[in-house]
Amino acid sequence: MRRILEYGAVVVIALLLNFLLPRALPGGPMKLFGSPEALSRLTEAERAQIAQQYGFGRPLPEQFADYLTGVFTLDLGTSLSDGRPVAEAIGEALPWTLLLVGTSIVITCVLGVALGVLGALRRRRGGGAGLLGTAIVLDSLPAFWLGMLLIVVFGVQLNVLPTYGAGTLAHLVLPVTTLVVTGLGYFFLYTRSSMLTVLTSEPVQHAHARGVPYGRLVRRHALRPALLPVHTIVLMEIGFLAGGSIVIETVFAYPGLGRLTFGAISARDYPLMQGAFLVLTLMVVAMNAIADATYPLLDPRARQ
Amino acid sequence: MLSITGMSVCYDGLPAVDRVSLDVGDGEIVALVGESGCGKTSLARALLGLLPGSAEVTGSAMLGDDDLARRTDWAGVRGRKIAIVPQGAMTGLSPVHKVGAQIEEMLTLHGGRARPGELLDRVGLGAEHLTCHPHELSGGQRQRVAIALALAGEPSLLVADEPTTGLDAIVQRQVLALLASLGIGMLIVSHDLAALAPHADRVAVMYAGRLAEDRPKGAPPRHPYTLGLLTATPATDRSIPWGSVPGSAPPLGQARPGCRFAPRCPLALDPCHDVDPPLVDGLACHHPGAPVYPVVPRSTPSAGTAAATLTGIRHTYRRRGVQALKGVDLEVRSGEIVGLVGESGSGKSTLARIALGLIKPTAGRVVVDGEELTGRTGKALRLLQRRIGFVHQDPYDSLHPGMRVGALVAEPLVVAGTPGDREEKVLAALEAAGLPCEREFLRRFPGQLSGGQRQRVSIARALAGEPVLLIADEATSMLDVSTRAGIATTLRSLASGRGLAVVFVTHDLGEAVQACDRIVVLRSGEIVEHGPAADLAAAPAHPYTQELLK
Amino acid sequence: MKYSAVLVFALVATLAACSGAPAQRPAAQAAKTVTIAISSDEGTLTPFTNESGYPGDNLVKLIFDTLLVQKGESVAPSLATAVETTDNKVFRLPLRTGVTWQDGRPFTAADVVFSVEFYRENLSGDSAIDVRPIRTVKADGDAVTMTLAAPDPEFPLRILSDMAMLPKHLWESVTKVNEAGTDKAIGTGPFRLTAYDKERGYTLTANPGYFGGKPKVDTVKVNVIPQETTQFAALRTGEVSLSVRNVPPQQRASLQSQPNIGIAEGTEFASTMLQFNTTRPPFDRAEVRRALAKAVDVRDLVKTALLGQGTPGNPGFVHPESPVGGPALPPLFDVEAAKRELDALGAKPGPGGVRTLDGKPMSYELLVQSTSTDRLRSAELIRDMLKNVGVEIKVTSLDPDSLDTKVWPDYDVKKGRNYDLTMWGWSAPVMQTSSQIVSLFDSDPEDGNLNIGGFADAGVDKAIDELKATTTPEKRAEAAAALQQKIAEQLPFLTLYYRNGAYAYRKDAYAGWTWQNGLGVLHSGSFVG
Ligand code: SF4
């Protein structure tokens, strides 16, 4: 019950922010209705009429009430830039983003966790140090830079993969690779440090003292406790990335939510921004809720 | 069965265990006793090959035909021939597996023939606990599970490393009784000489890496250090004085030639400083005798004015829904030491925090120095809080490691903006807390001090604010046994010398009996008994108090 | 991000140098499919729903025709076959017959009348036309007659060649123009919009019955690629046949060295200027503006910031090749004169070499758009040039929206302004006709709707009135030249340069791009005729 109230409070605050943030940006959606040169010819009354007609000129409380009604009746309004229903625009972009993000998260997570465990077990050997160094480098690679590099190497030079767009499996390779490579370091470092903590924890040390052989120690005693925090960050990551990676989607001209959001922000398309932020909010809250709900399944201590 | 001969353990060349020889016979229970850093744990872990890579073991430890000191492959030995109940076993069980599964694992690994239920039965637990996760068990129950795990492989020798640490007094006795009843050869490592002595067939005492004494059950202790340890263990009988051994044990690698104990030994003569006494007839001492150690002075009851009055204190932790205090009254007068005794969960720490104004009680009033504390907030609260000193349980945590002693003690003065010569006041506070009153000492960092010295710095810091009330929350519990009475002595001199009112919070009724004028026994948030220390110790009225006093 | 882009670019260049050059293929004069990369979505490609002037309007005009088209510096027939006028006030336009809308319905004079009235009602949209100068429009048979409120010799170029004709039968039901869908993107033009989705972009298919002839390209695909670097990478691989991005001077050589990549280049009329806030002292004094302008070497800006890929600004604002024309005025740059004039104003050098004018140090803030490389560089150069004459400039770079909010709040000059100096730019259409140009200088905010510096000068206002009163092209050109002369004296802003247009395309995909001043290469002339 308490949890539900907390989530409710988070959603309410998020809704308020989603509404206020777009309107706090400098400029406004007026520029969607013509070039500055054309707009400058409009009289005050003509501007007011447009603003009134498309909603963004009405008093803020009225707009907010409208927005709230929209959220609860699942009517997110109409995009100011092209008149499409916001729900439709998001509905088209979201599957693309989920495809991109889902694929990358799965690969990143599996690879990152596997390498993280390996890195923790081999920490004193050359291979482990190499892994650690590589992970730190990867973690700090800018996604933009890496994306461009991949485009140049695999698109332009080798000419084996498309440089932009979406639609086929081949189109997915470069953006997914970029996301995986840039995201891998985080998972690796996180898993590694979690594993190292668990390996030196009392339960594992004690199991060692009781004569549990090394392999079994790692598999049975260390792995599960070490992956408990990783489970939470995986879900959080999905929540955040579901908003789309603005950088990746821009670099690869990928038609996902990130690019949609970016477009909406630069155009000050209030309804579209609100809709995109709402999806992001809900994703994060939902993943949080899932993490909270599934954690006790993995950790008996968290069960009531 | 186990025969240790001339065993040394060195870390980076510095000896933690120095040429120790010790035997454990078949079915014999040997207690290896000493204070922290004496080398007892290193010795025990060396027997199972559990020392870190930086440790080097020499000498031999024969278990049957097997030299454990030379072994590198422990498969089939660890858990099967020799098993351990590791230190802190309560927190050492796998949190994600059920008790039954953990026992099964041991049985499979070490080829044990018993059934899990039988093992639990042997350690005094019911089979219903097989389906529990460790977090669902009490500390004592978890310790029993850890013992069952060690027994699964049917070892011929069991090493129990501090098996009672962290448990409440009553549970401690139960666990030791259980170990004693198992009937297998056992090496129990502990700091608690008094508690182990009745259960052990033989007691070996270690000091600074050397074996000081090795005597069979019943033989009177003769080594000055052993005698010191005994007098430092507070008895619940007011007629037995509580003493302390001044000074502290040398850090690793800084032991001087001659008898290791010489710098602290009241009987030390010249040869003691030069010649290392060999272990002869179970004793390593040139001239044993009856050493005299300083003891905590007895109080003469003095009726001061009320420094703090707590009335009708109730407190519920709303988050957890736990009723920590169910209506407690407490009065502390100036010049007296009141012992607040209880086991974990009794509410004694909550009460201390309420008296400090750190927690707002759900109901009740706190009056300090004639002014009401409850209901105050912000600046008014902080002003009144300055009249209360506090000494924290953990001397290693409570002092900022980057500040010098002088700055640490002066801090309350700086915060309060007290004018005048601060150094003068700081030195006075140090002296009152029993620390060297030297300027050089002011420039030291906490890392350069022993545990007892740190706790005294905490006291000095509390004194600098010139409080009317001092609350010492388990102030001795993390110190070595031999130095605890020294802190109590200091508190006593503050009470009688300055008229300070002291609340002495402890889980050890013996300490309270020895150090306090009055005792309040708390259990589950209620006062079960209170009265003058002498009366309470001589004739406890409540069965719970009687149980604690056993 | 910028820095990374440079690194990637360097890498491309290196790798390109290492690999064997691919064989040069013949230039294609016709093509089945041409793929154009644009930088952002352009809505449903109707005159009211495109998002940008360039390239949005250019794409709209591939679907929709205008009555006339711009050709060279003049106009040529399109849906109208001729312009008949005696007084430049009443225009009779005979319409081409036999033209059909892309849905098969015939194009008639009623559509023209409807279009004018529709634009009058609906003022918003990037390709919407301000038709208020047209007082009446009447259909008579296969011709329409438009009567203006006042004579305007530039009317054919300014409005008739820019106003896309709308099919009445589809648009009369439209009430919210910005929600017009692709079903409304039906024109008479050489291409029709056959597919649009946000993922794959636009597909334009040749209109075989186009009155100007069958287009040389069957299908034009338009894809959105936000990143410039990605656009050029896709051009190298051949995934894209034309990038609408103006090639940055630094990347030109590398792109051009590719065997199959060509660069179409020409003059553009987009201008870049140093704008003074003439309502804020000391920029309210023409002498001060003049003195500062003389310290700025616009040739050096072109050489350094544009690597020579541009034309130095004319002090009278107008590009010498623009249809407005007029004599090129002599450059102002003269450091010694600038110093002398500042001395004469009583601005003596103070501490640190900074002059003091009217008791205040000559230290000002120059705003610049953080997104524009050449303007950032120019702003720094200007700072150094003004330092030479004892004027201190602090360059502040802002995102475009924040800068607009300071300089031109709500795009309404009546709302005031808050800056000292700013880098600014006007798009090409502003320089198209002299009646457009006057809106930069007119002190009346209704007519001077682009007068973002709040400039007011009686002499200039008088020159504007005289220009507006002219009724013949010759007289108007004369009046425009006089106005330019005045502007070069008054300097409400200093025109710095006009960037050249340079657009990279795949020669092997399609090489029929033709340059039209004011439009670039993306116009129907590149596909037809
Ligand atoms: S040898 Fe000397 S110093 Fe050591 S314990 Fe015996 S008497 Fe004390």
Side-chain angles (χ1 to χ4, degrees):
Chain A
M1 191 56 211
R2 192 192 172 82
R3 270 277 148 74
I4 294 175
L5 282 181
E6 277 173 13
Y7 281 124
V10 168
V11 170
V12 167
I13 292 170
L15 284 180
L16 193 63
L17 283 178
N18 290 355
F19 174 79
L20 290 178
L21 277 181
R23 287 160 178 84
L25 293 170
M30 202 64 202
K31 61 183 179 178
L32 283 167
F33 296 87
S35 62
E37 288 90 338
L39 287 176
S40 69
R41 283 195 295 268
L42 303 185
T43 62
E44 201 77 26
E46 286 160 348
R47 289 162 194 263
Q49 196 231 321
I50 293 174
Q52 191 69 30
Q53 189 182 358
Y54 291 100
F56 60 90
R58 288 182 303 139
L60 277 188
E62 212 175 293
Q63 290 186 48
F64 187 58
D66 250 29
Y67 165 61
L68 280 189
T69 323
V71 168
F72 289 108
T73 55
L74 297 177
D75 171 15
L76 300 179
T78 316
S79 159
L80 292 177
S81 44
D82 59 6
R84 277 207 302 174
V86 168
E88 184 190 311
I90 292 176
E92 270 173 31
L94 191 60
W96 289 109
T97 289
L98 291 183
L99 176 68
L100 175 66
V101 169
T103 319
S104 347
I105 289 268
V106 169
I107 300 177
T108 313
C109 181
V110 169
L111 263 181
V113 167
L115 291 174
V117 169
L118 209 67
L121 299 182
R122 299 265 165 89
R123 67 191 174 282
R124 295 219 180 78
R125 282 184 250 165
L131 273 178
L132 182 62
T134 315
I136 291 172
V137 169
L138 290 189
D139 200 39
S140 57
L141 265 192
F144 173 83
W145 196 89
L146 181 71
M148 281 299 165
L149 192 75
L150 292 178
I151 287 179
V152 167
V153 174
F154 293 97
V156 179
Q157 286 308 310
L158 303 177
N159 215 339
V160 287
L161 288 167
T163 53
Y164 76 95
T168 70
L169 211 57
H171 281 103
L172 215 50
V173 176
L174 291 186
V176 165
T177 309
T178 314
L179 274 179
V180 167
V181 170
T182 50
L184 199 57
Y186 179 56
F187 276 90
F188 171 84
L189 293 172
Y190 202 94
T191 310
R192 182 178 178 274
S193 99
S194 173
M195 188 73 187
L196 282 180
T197 311
V198 170
L199 280 177
T200 52
S201 72
E202 283 193 329
V204 172
Q205 291 293 309
H206 284 194
H208 171 63
R210 289 190 192 103
V212 177
Y214 184 71
R216 189 177 171 84
L217 197 68
V218 170
R219 280 194 313 277
R220 190 175 148 85
H221 291 261
L223 206 52
R224 190 158 142 203
L227 293 188
L228 287 177
V230 178
H231 154 260
T232 309
I233 64 154
V234 169
L235 287 169
M236 297 308 245
E237 197 83 336
I238 294 179
F240 282 113
L241 275 182
S245 163
I246 288 181
V247 175
I248 298 296
E249 294 188 3
T250 307
V251 167
F252 291 99
Y254 188 89
L257 208 53
R259 210 177 93 189
L260 191 74
T261 312
F262 183 67
I265 294 173
S266 18
R268 306 286 190 267
D269 189 340
Y270 293 164
L272 193 53
M273 264 197 265
Q274 284 166 183
F277 291 171
L278 181 70
V279 171
L280 182 59
T281 311
L282 290 183
M283 271 294 185
V284 172
V285 172
M287 288 301 146
N288 243 308
I290 293 178
D292 276 353
T294 52
Y295 191 84
L297 299 180
L298 303 172
D299 188 349
R301 284 167 296 186
R303 289 176 209 158
Q304 286 303 308
Chain B
M1 177 188 55
L2 174 70
S3 179
I4 303 170
T5 320
M7 185 188 252
S8 295
V9 177
C10 294
Y11 295 98
D12 302 318
L14 303 175
V17 177
D18 194 1
R19 292 159 288 147
V20 169
S21 301
L22 186 68
D23 291 348
V24 181
D26 240 340
E28 189 186 28
I29 297 177
V30 175
L32 183 60
V33 179
E35 294 176 294
S36 59
C38 73
K40 61 187 189 299
T41 295
S42 291
L43 179 73
R45 294 180 75 82
L47 297 178
L48 287 105
L50 293 173
L51 294 173
S54 60
E56 187 195 339
V57 182
T58 50
S60 74
M62 302 302 295
L63 183 67
D65 309 329
D66 199 356
D67 188 354
L68 298 176
R70 286 183 209 295
R71 198 161 248 299
T72 49
D73 176 18
W74 292 87
V77 177
R78 208 187 270 156
R80 234 180 235 237
K81 290 187 177 169
I82 175 169
I84 187 168
V85 180
Q87 184 167 2
M90 285 84 78
T91 50
L93 300 174
S94 167
V96 294
H97 296 112
K98 288 183 180 164
V99 167
Q102 301 195 35
I103 296 178
E104 293 273 13
E105 180 183 28
M106 283 297 130
L107 289 171
T108 328
L109 273 176
H110 300 315
R113 285 157 299 180
R115 276 181 293 125
E118 291 168 12
L119 276 172
L120 278 193
D121 188 47
R122 208 170 151 202
V123 297
L125 288 177
E128 72 274 12
H129 293 114
L130 286 175
T131 53
C132 289
H133 280 101
H135 71 276
E136 296 165 295
L137 303 177
S138 71
Q141 287 172 325
R142 277 181 255 170
Q143 187 65 287
R144 286 169 194 269
V145 172
I147 295 169
L149 290 176
L151 294 177
E154 296 163 27
S156 44
L157 181 72
L158 188 67
V159 175
D161 192 1
E162 297 278 8
T164 59
T165 307
L167 295 175
D168 284 331
I170 296 169
V171 183
Q172 284 188 10
R173 283 202 294 273
Q174 292 166 350
V175 168
L176 286 178
L178 166 69
L179 286 172
S181 70
L182 290 173
I184 60 171
M186 200 175 306
L187 183 67
I188 305 182
V189 174
S190 175
H191 65 278
D192 194 345
L193 175 59
L196 270 167
H199 301 287
D201 298 319
R202 221 139 44 73
V203 176
V205 179
M206 273 184 89
Y207 185 79
R210 296 285 282 149
L211 210 53
E213 187 169 10
D214 179 3
R215 69 184 157 89
K217 192 174 193 167
R222 294 173 62 212
H223 195 279
Y225 176 60
T226 315
L227 293 167
L229 278 182
L230 284 173
T231 181
T233 309
T236 50
D237 181 348
R238 294 263 287 184
S239 62
I240 304 171
W242 186 23
S244 63
V245 183
S248 55
L252 184 66
Q254 285 184 27
R256 289 187 295 172
C259 176
R260 299 279 156 90
F261 189 58
R264 300 172 75 188
C265 181
L267 302 178
L269 296 172
D270 275 351
C272 300
H273 293 284
D274 305 323
V275 184
D276 190 10
L279 192 72
V280 178
D281 283 341
L283 181 68
C285 178
H286 292 304
H287 30 78
V292 179
Y293 289 106
V295 298
V296 180
R298 287 278 165 261
S299 55
T300 40
S302 59
T305 54
T309 316
L310 288 79
T311 26
I313 303 292
R314 293 173 180 280
H315 191 70
T316 308
Y317 286 106
R318 222 169 278 131
R319 259 205 111 85
R320 287 175 278 154
V322 177
Q323 229 187 328
L325 292 170
K326 304 167 185 166
V328 171
D329 299 320
L330 180 71
E331 189 185 68
V332 194
R333 295 173 173 278
S334 62
E336 77 170 342
I337 302 181
V338 173
L340 201 54
V341 183
E343 303 193 312
S344 55
S346 61
K348 60 184 192 302
S349 289
T350 306
L351 194 62
R353 282 159 182 276
I354 287 172
L356 278 164
L358 298 176
I359 303 182
K360 238 175 120 93
T362 317
R365 292 179 71 209
V366 177
V367 175
V368 172
D369 203 13
E371 292 180 53
E372 177 151 2
L373 182 92
T374 33
R376 287 193 183 215
T377 51
K379 202 161 178 227
L381 175 65
R382 285 198 294 280
L383 221 58
L384 190 53
Q385 276 175 331
R386 280 190 205 136
R387 280 181 247 170
I388 315 169
F390 180 60
V391 181
H392 188 258
Q393 170 175 21
D394 187 348
Y396 300 89
D397 242 22
S398 57
L399 299 177
H400 191 291
M403 282 170 80
R404 292 172 196 275
V405 168
L408 281 166
V409 177
E411 201 181 17
L413 299 174
V414 175
V415 171
T418 316
D421 187 357
R422 285 190 191 133
E423 187 163 303
E424 201 62 28
K425 289 201 165 84
V426 168
L427 287 172
L430 285 179
E431 185 171 22
L435 286 166
C437 186
E438 296 158 7
R439 271 164 223 279
E440 183 277 323
F441 192 77
L442 295 182
R443 285 195 295 275
R444 292 212 205 159
F445 288 104
Q448 298 166 292
L449 307 178
S450 73
Q453 283 176 319
R454 281 187 230 200
Q455 211 56 315
R456 285 172 197 275
V457 170
S458 281
I459 294 174
R461 190 177 144 93
L463 292 178
E466 295 183 4
V468 296
L469 173 69
L470 184 75
I471 297 177
D473 186 8
E474 298 268 14
T476 57
S477 66
M478 293 183 74
L479 299 178
D480 272 335
V481 181
S482 64
T483 58
R484 288 183 186 172
I487 298 291
T489 307
T490 300
L491 292 179
R492 169 58 63 199
S493 71
L494 291 173
S496 40
R498 297 192 164 206
L500 192 65
V502 178
V503 176
F504 189 81
V505 184
T506 178
H507 64 277
D508 186 337
L509 185 55
E511 278 191 8
V513 167
Q514 291 289 342
C516 303
D517 302 302
R518 283 195 301 125
I519 293 177
V520 174
V521 182
L522 267 179
R523 189 192 188 188
S524 311
E526 284 171 310
I527 295 182
V528 297
E529 187 165 4
H530 64 98
D535 300 357
L536 193 133
H542 197 276
Y544 178 66
T545 321
Q546 291 164 3
E547 176 77 8
L548 284 179
L549 281 171
K550 256 190 207 161
Chain C
M1 197 114 152
K2 281 255 151 56
Y3 179 62
S4 310
V6 172
L7 277 181
V8 171
F9 173 71
L11 195 90
V12 180
T14 321
L15 287 176
C18 302
S19 64
Q24 177 148 11
R25 285 187 287 271
Q29 292 308 322
K32 281 202 101 54
T33 304
V34 161
T35 307
I36 299 175
I38 60 175
S39 299
S40 57
D41 196 78
E42 289 293 351
T44 50
L45 287 188
T46 75
F48 294 94
T49 53
N50 58 323
E51 309 283 349
S52 72
Y54 174 82
D57 189 42
N58 301 52
L59 292 172
V60 168
K61 297 280 166 64
L62 293 180
I63 299 167
F64 292 88
D65 276 318
T66 46
L67 291 171
L68 304 171
V69 289
Q70 191 188 344
K71 194 125 206 175
E73 292 187 13
S74 181
V75 291
S78 179
L79 284 172
T81 51
V83 187
E84 298 167 4
T85 183
T86 51
D87 54 359
N88 285 317
K89 186 174 178 193
V90 179
F91 291 86
R92 185 174 179 277
L93 304 157
L95 300 180
R96 196 180 290 277
T97 52
V99 175
T100 57
W101 296 103
Q102 288 160 359
D103 62 1
R105 303 275 283 263
F107 163 76
T108 68
D111 290 312
V112 179
V113 174
F114 169 79
S115 298
V116 173
E117 296 306 337
F118 194 83
Y119 284 116
R120 202 190 296 286
E121 295 298 315
N122 296 284
L123 296 154
S124 68
D126 253 287
S127 298
I129 298 296
D130 182 8
V131 295
R132 284 174 294 192
I134 306 175
R135 181 168 290 164
T136 60
V137 52
K138 277 204 296 284
D140 65 89
D142 284 337
V144 285
T145 304
M146 297 185 193
T147 309
L148 307 189
D152 181 358
E154 290 168 321
F155 177 66
L157 180 61
R158 186 159 69 97
I159 293 180
L160 295 179
S161 68
D162 201 20
M163 179 168 58
M165 289 296 111
L166 305 168
K168 183 183 179 194
H169 62 281
L170 290 174
W171 281 81
E172 56 192 350
S173 59
V174 175
T175 49
K176 278 190 169 180
V177 287
N178 91 321
E179 291 176 13
T182 49
D183 58 325
K184 302 286 185 284
I186 301 279
T188 56
F191 290 94
R192 57 179 300 185
L193 179 61
T194 45
Y196 164 50
D197 66 73
K198 294 243 169 189
E199 289 75 54
R200 289 176 192 81
Y202 304 85
T203 306
L204 305 178
T205 311
N207 175 9
Y210 183 56
F211 64 81
K214 184 177 177 296
K216 289 180 278 190
V217 174
D218 296 341
T219 306
V220 174
K221 286 193 177 294
V222 183
N223 288 349
V224 179
I225 305 180
Q227 277 297 328
E228 181 180 88
T229 330
T230 315
Q231 280 197 11
F232 292 146
L235 194 73
R236 285 168 190 274
T237 63
E239 288 166 277
V240 158
S241 333
L242 171 75
S243 159
V244 300
R245 290 268 192 168
N246 199 348
V247 177
Q250 297 82 357
Q251 303 202 20
R252 212 185 125 99
S254 146
L255 273 176
Q256 214 163 14
S257 68
Q258 298 275 304
N260 291 315
I261 291 182
I263 304 243
E265 50 195 323
T267 301
E268 291 210 328
F269 298 139
S271 47
T272 302
M273 54 264 306
L274 173 66
Q275 175 76 47
F276 300 102
N277 178 357
T278 64
T279 59
R280 182 176 281 186
F283 309 114
D284 54 345
R285 292 158 68 183
E287 314 86 79
V288 176
R289 301 196 294 264
R290 250 192 321 261
L292 295 184
K294 284 183 183 171
V296 176
D297 183 359
V298 293
R299 278 167 203 286
D300 188 48
L301 296 185
V302 170
K303 207 172 83 199
T304 314
L306 298 183
L307 300 180
Q309 304 297 316
T311 309
N314 171 11
F317 173 64
V318 178
H319 193 293
E321 290 173 39
S322 133
V324 175
L329 299 169
L332 298 171
F333 177 60
D334 184 344
V335 180
E336 291 315 313
K339 286 184 186 162
R340 269 198 312 277
E341 287 175 26
L342 284 170
D343 288 344
L345 285 165
K348 290 274 162 330
V354 178
R355 289 174 191 264
T356 309
L357 181 62
D358 303 333
K360 292 201 192 100
M362 294 191 77
S363 173
Y364 312 108
E365 185 182 40
L366 170 59
L367 306 182
V368 56
Q369 292 84 350
S370 57
T371 46
S372 168
T373 326
D374 62 293
R375 284 187 203 169
L376 278 168
R377 186 81 188 95
S378 297
E380 286 165 1
L381 292 168
I382 289 171
R383 178 190 61 202
D384 299 345
M385 291 168 179
L386 289 179
K387 194 172 173 211
N388 267 341
V389 298
V391 176
E392 185 180 64
I393 296 292
K394 200 179 132 263
V395 176
T396 305
S397 96
L398 293 173
D399 70 281
D401 283 292
S402 302
L403 187 135
D404 287 357
T405 308
K406 279 180 165 254
V407 174
W408 198 9
D410 291 344
Y411 307 119
D412 184 351
V413 294
K414 291 195 283 291
K415 297 243 169 103
R417 52 200 64 78
N418 177 23
Y419 66 97
D420 298 335
L421 299 161
T422 184
M423 299 297 287
W424 194 256
W426 291 112
S427 62
V430 174
M431 210 182 282
Q432 194 82 340
T433 59
S434 52
S435 41
Q436 200 92 315
I437 291 169
V438 300
S439 57
L440 294 168
F441 310 113
D442 201 316
S443 63
D444 175 359
E446 291 298 338
D447 293 328
N449 56 306
L450 303 184
N451 186 354
I452 57 168
F455 173 70
D457 178 76
V460 169
D461 281 348
K462 195 161 149 275
I464 290 172
D465 289 341
E466 283 165 6
L467 182 144
K468 282 182 174 169
T470 56
T471 55
T472 66
E474 299 74 29
K475 283 264 188 281
R476 178 150 294 197
E478 248 169 64
L483 176 63
Q484 287 186 53
Q485 190 67 48
K486 276 246 172 306
I487 293 308
E489 283 160 24
Q490 287 291 325
L491 290 168
F493 50 76
L494 173 65
T495 310
L496 301 172
Y497 50 74
Y498 322 93
R499 282 185 66 176
N500 284 352
Y503 300 94
Y505 62 93
R506 293 287 298 202
K507 288 189 265 189
D508 51 347
Y510 183 61
W513 307 105
T514 56
W515 187 272
Q516 166 64 51
N517 276 359
L519 294 176
V521 293
L522 196 52
H523 56 98
S524 53
S526 283
F527 298 103
V528 185

